Amino acid sequence: MYLVDYLHQHGIAVHLDWVPSHFPSDAHGLAYFDGTHLYEHADSRRVFHPDWKTHIFNYGRTEVRSFLMSSAMFWLDKYHIDGLRVDAVASMLYLDYSRNAGEWIPNKFGDAKIWKPSTSSDASIKKSTKNTPISRPRRKNPLPGHGFAAVYLGGLGFGMKWDMGWMHDTLEYFKQDPSTASTITAS
């Protein structure tokens, strides 16, 4: 808390990279936490993320949603974090994300959507976004016009969008020799 408070005293906002989309499969972590598939899916077509070689949270479980929202609120309430950048949003929305036919199973409605905002999550999202931009999706919004809409309007409740182009351009600029670096070319 000292670091965050110190940065705030000097006018610097603190945003945390928060990853509710997947978690390591390490034996000492959340995977098979109590000997069962407590946090992850039991079905092999839903348990493992092919891009990151990690487990995927089972958002259908109330306990998992509570754990994730409690985690987010802890950082906001206890450490006074100013915002959370949410990574890999599209992978939390679609069962077929980064998968070929036959590598995923449709939801009970026969499509690839995973998560739909509900009244139970609505209260937590409203609390976390009341005075704080909690989320910053990393990639292009998978639901144009809906990512920033309020949950009760069918949106995801995001307050801001993370500009990856700016970040990558800035990192490329910092790699240049300072004596020759004069401009940043936007991507």
Side-chain angles (χ1 to χ4, degrees), residues 7-113:
L7 292 169
H8 284 163
Q9 290 167 13
H10 290 84
I12 300 171
V14 179
H15 293 260
L16 184 72
D17 194 17
W18 184 66
V19 185
S21 55
H22 57 103
F23 60 97
S25 56
D26 302 337
H28 60 274
L30 294 176
Y32 312 109
F33 185 74
D34 65 352
T36 69
H37 297 279
L38 182 63
Y39 290 97
E40 68 276 8
H41 292 276
D43 190 305
S44 63
R45 293 168 291 181
R46 287 191 175 176
V47 71
F48 201 68
H49 197 289
D51 290 348
W52 304 298
K53 312 293 186 258
T54 55
H55 284 314
I56 300 169
F57 284 107
N58 182 350
Y59 307 112
R61 293 185 60 122
T62 303
E63 301 90 335
V64 171
R65 292 191 310 271
S66 176
F67 168 76
L68 292 171
M69 286 307 298
S70 295
S71 166
M73 296 311 299
F74 174 80
W75 288 106
L76 294 165
D77 291 342
K78 179 76 173 170
Y79 286 93
H80 316 293
I81 298 296
D82 299 296
L84 298 173
R85 175 192 167 267
V86 180
D87 188 38
V89 172
S91 73
M92 293 186 286
L93 299 176
Y94 301 104
L95 294 165
D96 61 349
Y97 181 87
S98 202
R99 288 179 169 74
N100 297 315
E103 296 176 344
W104 65 280
I105 51 175
N107 63 24
K108 64 182 179 180
F109 304 108
D111 64 27
K113 291 180 184 173

Side-chain angles (χ1 to χ4, degrees), residues 69 84 86 89 93 115-118 121-122 124-137 141 143 145-161:
M69 286 307 298
L84 298 173
V86 180
V89 172
L93 299 176
W115 185 79
K116 179 178 183 340
S118 66
S121 63
D122 192 30
S124 298
I125 291 171
K126 280 182 184 171
K127 179 182 179 195
S128 62
T129 58
K130 183 177 179 185
N131 297 313
T132 307
I134 72 154
S135 2
R136 296 171 169 258
N141 184 359
L143 298 171
H146 295 298
F148 301 102
V151 174
Y152 72 90
L153 294 174
L156 300 176
F158 289 116
M160 298 180 175
K161 182 173 187 322

